Amino acid sequence: MAAELEGAALRARRRSGHATAVAALERAVRLTFEEAERARRLALAGEIAVDAGLPDRARHLAGQALRLTEDTRVLARVATVRARVEFEHGSLRTVHEVLVTAARQVAPLDPDTAASMLADAARASWSAGEPVRVAQAHRILAELPPDTVRDRLVASIGGALKLYSDDAAEAADGVALLREHIAQGRNGPPGLRLNVASQALLTGDYDDTRDIMAGLAEESRTSGAIGWLPMVLCTLATAEINLGRHRDAVQSASEALRIAADIGQPSRMAHAEALLAYVAAVRGDEPGTRPAEQSLRQFPAHANALVAAWCEWALALLDLGYGRYEAALDRLETATRGPIQHVGPGVHFAADQVEAAVRLGRPQRAAEPLARLEQWAAAARLPWEDGLVLRCRALTTGDGTLYERALELQGEARPFERARTELLYGEWLRRERHKAEARTHLREALERFERLGAAPWAEHARAELRAAGESSTPAAADAAAQLTPQELQVVRLAATGATNKEIAARLFLSPKTVGHHLYRAFPKLGVSTRTELARLNLE
């Protein structure tokens, strides 16, 4: 009977019934008398419970299994469950230690499992801003027997470690290794794809990240793996922010926050709040950035450098948008002296440091962040990144002719950054008394800022335009901007023809809640039927 229940649990898991699978395995455990088998089934139940978004239950099941066995393979599974729960509720350093210890024990019996655990340990330590621990996991991984998949992991983690090397050639080699790993792993199993998407973020390949995470989010919904969704959605939102798709980013991060709160994932909640705070900063929404201050108290840089980096960036960007240059520069300089310097945003907000320093009249304080940005751009070899470097050089040298080339390289890859370059170029042209040409660029900057909802930046562009001899009035807000993130998400799905029941299942809501959102959204959009939604621009 216990074996039959385990079989039913595995079938339920494949059909997305994770909670049912956990319950079936717990019943199987009660009918299992051999301690080794009890421990194995408890560990399996804990693993599925994590996927189902049941961290307390997973912790309890893993603890029971730990007391019953010394079987190395079962202990490895228990360690993975403990690490995933610890990632949300405890220390990233503890996550690393649990996984590395278990990986060393299981390596002689199951090198594939050991390799997966070491990759997870490296990712946790990277989020903590601890490259020394990443290097430790990489070294142990490299000692495992050669294998195609394991060799790829060794190369990719080694590539990540090279990214922030002082040697430009070595950093460029690291980017090349990561991009090779991304190309090979983008269609692999979920864990590998999450790893690949994180590395695509590191290399600035935001379109790749968005594509991979959108697919993984869909699979997580279909399979009922709700425990994965907040992590996947936060990664997706990060890519959307960098692509200038701020409305999509708010939708993804808001859903991540809601689900993480429902299933008890405080670390993911803080990550989602930090991403939402960044978009709020772009929009000049000061109250919207306050959760970032709270997250910094709960997850300071030494606890989770990735979350702290986004919080610091959001708060500094708000100051920069409102002309509080001293506060912005002090915050970013302080942030980059700690673990934050070893995570992605620590590189990317270098351009904000440069602008704050120059606007403050302290160009000497722009030298270090500009050098950091130049080194990274040389390794990444992305046109928009090269354009960002040229913009910063124009700021520091006063050579405004560099802005034209910067705009050519930036293209449309990052709309917010392009708008800022247009603004700076327009300012320079106005000061040089080329007012007609200045108006062209200032107009372009204003239109882009208004499309992004970047109110303080739009007001700055409007003031410069007036100084250049042209007045403008604020653009009317589009209808979709009046919707809450969840209303927008529901309306977008309704526009495809999905029923309330189908939308509810997809978003883990009740049909009644879906109906309530539609009831509130229709008047805001000026429509009265679902068929009218398809004619609206909801991007």
Side-chain angles (χ1 to χ4, degrees):
M1 181 61 74
E4 288 292 331
L5 282 167
E6 181 177 347
L10 295 175
R11 289 192 294 276
R13 184 189 198 181
R14 287 193 293 271
R15 294 194 303 269
S16 77
H18 287 72
T20 301
V22 173
L25 279 166
E26 287 179 314
R27 292 191 190 100
V29 167
R30 289 196 289 272
L31 297 173
T32 304
F33 298 99
E34 301 84 3
E35 285 195 348
E37 274 295 277
R38 283 170 65 88
R40 184 185 65 78
R41 285 173 175 149
L42 283 164
L44 176 58
E47 186 180 274
I48 298 172
V50 174
D51 287 343
L54 303 168
D56 292 337
R57 203 159 164 189
R59 186 193 288 112
H60 175 68
L61 291 164
Q64 284 185 299
L66 195 60
R67 290 191 290 271
L68 290 175
T69 186
E70 294 183 2
D71 183 285
T72 301
R73 285 189 173 89
V74 176
L75 291 176
R77 178 168 263 166
V78 168
T80 300
V81 174
R82 286 180 59 208
R84 289 182 63 186
V85 174
E86 184 72 21
F87 188 97
E88 297 301 334
H89 298 270
S91 157
L92 293 179
R93 186 169 290 182
T94 301
V95 172
H96 175 94
E97 290 169 354
V98 166
L99 289 172
V100 167
T101 300
R104 280 175 163 153
Q105 292 171 342
V106 79
L109 301 173
D110 189 348
D112 288 340
T113 296
S116 177
M117 297 174 82
L118 289 164
D120 287 343
R123 188 164 61 239
S125 291
W126 198 274
S127 295
E130 294 191 324
V132 172
R133 289 176 177 270
V134 177
Q136 180 196 26
H138 178 252
R139 185 171 59 253
I140 300 168
L141 181 58
E143 292 169 356
L144 296 176
D147 168 87
T148 302
V149 174
R150 290 195 290 276
D151 289 348
R152 287 180 187 169
L153 282 175
V154 170
S156 67
I157 297 172
L161 284 167
K162 289 181 176 184
L163 285 187
Y164 300 113
S165 166
D166 291 334
D167 185 290
E170 187 174 359
D173 183 48
V175 170
L177 285 170
L178 285 180
R179 287 181 176 151
E180 183 180 344
H181 180 63
I182 292 162
Q184 293 170 339
R186 59 183 303 128
N187 297 315
L192 178 60
R193 271 181 287 158
L194 183 63
N195 187 47
V196 161
S198 299
Q199 292 173 345
L201 279 182
L202 285 177
T203 58
D205 298 331
Y206 303 124
D207 285 305
D208 275 346
T209 306
R210 184 172 181 268
D211 290 345
I212 295 167
M213 287 295 95
L216 193 51
E218 187 63 32
E219 287 179 32
S220 299
R221 295 182 199 282
T222 304
S223 68
I226 192 171
W228 279 77
L229 262 176
M231 173 171 47
V232 171
L233 289 168
C234 281
T235 309
L236 176 60
T238 303
E240 289 166 338
I241 283 173
N242 282 288
L243 291 169
R245 303 177 66 98
H246 291 173
R247 193 173 289 168
D248 290 343
V250 168
Q251 179 179 295
S252 298
S254 296
E255 186 181 10
L257 178 60
R258 173 176 61 83
I259 293 173
D262 286 345
I263 64 178
Q265 292 187 349
S267 175
R268 304 299 175 191
M269 288 173 64
H271 193 175
E273 286 175 334
L275 296 169
L276 289 168
Y278 178 91
V279 178
V282 171
R283 293 173 174 172
D285 174 12
E286 195 140 9
T289 64
R290 285 176 191 149
E293 297 173 349
Q294 297 164 6
S295 293
L296 274 174
R297 289 192 288 271
Q298 186 179 4
F299 293 96
H302 67 267
N304 192 319
L306 182 60
V307 169
W310 277 101
C311 292
E312 298 282 16
W313 197 2
L315 295 168
L317 190 64
L318 181 76
D319 286 333
L320 190 61
Y322 280 117
R324 302 190 290 255
Y325 304 126
E326 184 88 55
L329 186 57
D330 286 348
R331 179 178 289 278
L332 292 175
E333 285 180 343
T334 301
T336 50
R337 293 189 192 113
I340 286 173
Q341 66 184 295
H342 301 298
V343 295
V347 171
H348 298 307
F349 57 53
D352 295 330
Q353 280 182 261
V354 172
E355 183 171 342
V358 173
R359 288 193 181 278
L360 192 61
R362 306 281 178 81
Q364 70 277 9
R365 292 170 70 178
E368 185 279 326
L370 177 56
R372 186 172 4 122
L373 186 64
E374 287 173 333
Q375 180 179 322
W376 167 244
R381 297 175 183 172
L382 293 166
W384 61 261
E385 193 84 59
D386 292 336
L388 204 56
V389 169
L390 285 174
R391 184 180 91 195
C392 290
R393 286 178 183 163
L395 272 167
T396 56
T397 63
D399 181 0
T401 61
L402 295 174
Y403 288 122
E404 193 69 47
R405 178 61 180 148
L407 288 169
E408 290 174 10
L409 289 171
Q410 283 184 297
E412 300 297 328
R414 298 184 75 192
F416 181 54
E417 294 302 336
R418 182 183 175 90
R420 289 172 65 178
T421 304
E422 295 273 14
L423 173 60
L424 288 165
Y425 190 22
E427 288 180 40
W428 182 83
L429 287 166
R430 183 186 64 76
R431 290 194 302 270
E432 295 295 311
R433 302 184 185 280
H434 302 299
K435 289 190 175 183
E437 194 177 349
R439 287 195 291 270
T440 300
H441 291 283
L442 293 170
R443 226 179 282 124
E444 182 70 22
L446 176 58
E447 289 172 5
R448 289 175 182 275
F449 286 138
E450 287 184 331
R451 282 201 299 272
L452 289 166
W457 302 86
E459 187 53 43
H460 188 162
R462 196 173 290 111
E464 283 291 328
L465 201 52
R466 282 195 300 270
E470 182 177 311
S471 61
S472 66
T473 56
D478 65 301
Q482 302 175 57
L483 303 180
T484 67
Q486 199 163 92
E487 286 170 355
L488 178 61
Q489 193 173 24
V490 168
V491 163
R492 281 175 165 175
L493 290 170
T496 67
T499 65
N500 286 13
K501 187 175 180 180
E502 290 167 339
I503 296 170
R506 178 181 172 80
L507 301 182
F508 304 101
L509 299 169
S510 70
K512 183 177 179 181
T513 300
V514 171
H516 176 70
H517 284 313
L518 289 172
Y519 175 78
R520 290 175 58 87
F522 275 22
K524 296 178 183 179
L525 296 172
V527 301
S528 55
T529 66
R530 297 168 81 101
T531 55
E532 293 177 79
L533 294 175
R535 297 195 292 270
L536 298 177
N537 177 18
L538 299 172
E539 290 301 314

